[in-house]
Amino acid sequence: MIRPVNFDFNEETAGSNAFQKRNTDKSSANEQAQWEFDGMVNILRENGVDVTVIDDTPDPYTPDSIFPNNWISFHHNGDIFLYPMQAENRRLERREDIIAQLEDVFEVKHITDLSSFEQEGKFLEGTGSMVLDRVNKIAYACISPRTDREVLALFCEQAGYKEVSFHAYDEYHMPIYHTNVLMCVGSTFAVICLDSITDDDEKNEVTSILKLTHKEIIGISFGQMNHFAGNMLEVKNKDGETLIVMSQNAFNALDDEQKGVLERFGKMVYADINTIETNGGGSARCMMAEVHLPESR
């Protein structure tokens, strides 16, 4: 997780991210985001999660550095992928020193850098663009200005994943910018806004594959999606217990029946990150770049 120093409403991303809404002035946005970030880290650690916190740097200016899962992903076989980002100021988030710091603890076998696609105007923003079923090696992805099918296919080929791509829209028929705001895939469940997938064939394919891989489907509404109820992440703590991490807004948006179903699959853990969600247009899942690398021997 990256602790911000320049968090702010990012003008460069606002055009394709309908979840972004400026509600805090620049002078207080970063201070509030730091407070929310620290609170979420504390909650995760109190629940036994091993969290590596790295401070952002004042220069260059990276208002969205708090969302590292868009530029990097880590895999069980020691692979790291670096991704092409649409906004120019988000490309500055890629930092070799972060990888070097992790190499002190984890084994890195190979780094695949896809960022050259930026020169062609083609993007794939990590585990924002893709929701990975790591057990079954399936990459779910809604095609958008930030998720290019060619780059997606190349990732799947190199990482050994099956591509499940589709188109998804909000209630105003605007393309949803990242897949991870409409769905979350855990080991035995999936939270998804099926109403956002308007093509029946695509919806049926997604539903069928989720069922074939033995996921219990928990449907959410547009309203719940807009409160980031699709932006969750299943993690394991140091004792091997399953936690389902989300924001306070996401938790509050779920009804009692949905919470009851989720509680069967893990403990729900949530934090108040309202300023980050509103100004940044991302939520709890976006703030965590989960490290699946093997530990160094």
Side-chain angles (χ1 to χ4, degrees):
M1 294 178 69
I2 308 297
R3 191 175 192 270
V5 296
N6 280 315
F7 178 82
D8 193 16
F9 181 92
N10 189 350
E11 300 286 355
E12 290 190 25
T13 59
S16 59
N17 183 349
F19 290 79
Q20 263 182 269
K21 299 174 181 66
R22 188 195 300 274
N23 79 337
T24 307
D25 63 71
K26 186 181 181 70
S27 61
S28 62
N30 185 67
E31 181 181 351
Q32 184 67 20
Q34 288 179 333
W35 184 85
E36 292 176 357
F37 176 92
D38 293 341
M40 179 170 165
V41 170
N42 288 338
I43 287 170
L44 290 172
R45 287 175 171 166
E46 287 168 2
N47 281 276
V49 180
D50 183 6
V51 184
T52 299
V53 174
I54 296 174
D55 288 324
D56 192 16
T57 55
D59 185 59
Y61 175 66
T62 50
D64 276 334
S65 63
I66 201 168
F67 304 129
N69 77 311
N70 298 142
W71 67 266
I72 193 166
S73 67
F74 308 96
H75 300 264
H76 287 99
N77 62 355
D79 284 355
I80 289 177
F81 281 83
L82 305 178
Y83 297 97
M85 310 281 283
Q86 184 187 53
E88 291 187 16
N89 63 14
R90 295 220 60 192
R91 300 170 192 176
L92 303 172
E93 295 172 26
R94 292 190 293 262
R95 288 170 49 187
E96 292 182 3
D97 66 299
I98 291 177
I99 298 173
Q101 182 173 332
L102 291 172
E103 283 181 306
D104 292 339
V105 182
F106 301 99
E107 186 176 350
V108 176
K109 294 183 178 178
H110 186 257
I111 299 174
T112 300
D113 188 351
L114 301 174
S115 63
S116 62
F117 278 99
E118 289 166 353
Q119 300 168 18
E120 303 176 40
K122 298 174 181 176
F123 314 109
L124 183 73
E125 298 188 337
T127 53
S129 287
M130 302 177 292
V131 171
L132 301 181
D133 179 345
R134 292 180 183 262
V135 174
N136 296 291
K137 290 294 195 92
I138 298 170
Y140 296 90
C142 68
I143 303 304
S144 77
R146 301 206 204 173
T147 304
D148 180 85
R149 183 166 265 137
E150 179 185 345
V151 193
L152 172 65
L154 182 60
F155 166 83
C156 289
E157 177 187 331
Q158 297 197 1
Y161 274 70
K162 171 185 170 63
E163 173 190 334
V164 179
S165 57
F166 53 93
H167 297 81
Y169 305 90
D170 64 21
E171 62 266 56
Y172 305 107
H173 208 68
M174 294 292 293
I176 293 176
Y177 81 111
H178 276 167
T179 313
N180 74 358
V181 296
L182 73 94
M183 69 183 298
C184 155
V185 175
S187 54
T188 50
F189 69 92
V191 176
I192 183 169
C193 180
L194 285 169
D195 289 340
S196 68
I197 307 174
T198 55
D199 182 279
D200 287 339
D201 290 337
E202 292 181 344
K203 184 183 300 188
N204 290 336
E205 180 187 26
V206 171
T207 303
S208 296
I209 292 173
L210 288 172
K211 290 179 178 178
L212 282 170
T213 51
H214 309 292
K215 312 295 184 191
E216 180 160 345
I217 297 174
I218 303 163
I220 58 173
S221 66
F222 280 123
Q224 291 173 320
M225 179 187 74
N226 293 337
H227 285 85
F228 294 100
N231 196 249
M232 306 177 185
L233 183 65
E234 178 188 87
V235 304
K236 296 278 189 181
N237 68 11
K238 295 174 183 177
D239 296 325
E241 297 169 328
T242 298
L243 309 177
I244 305 170
V245 184
M246 67 192 77
S247 71
Q248 177 82 58
N249 283 332
F251 178 81
N252 290 344
L254 297 171
D255 63 33
D256 290 341
E257 182 179 352
Q258 292 165 323
K259 290 175 183 175
V261 174
L262 280 171
E263 284 173 344
R264 301 207 318 262
F265 302 113
K267 178 183 178 182
M268 287 182 287
V269 175
Y270 47 90
D272 178 3
I273 51 172
N274 185 65
T275 300
I276 295 169
E277 288 179 314
T278 307
N279 291 273
S283 187
R285 192 274 169 269
C286 308
M287 295 169 63
M288 297 178 285
E290 64 272 33
V291 182
H292 289 278
L293 299 170
E295 293 187 13
S296 298
R297 292 194 177 95

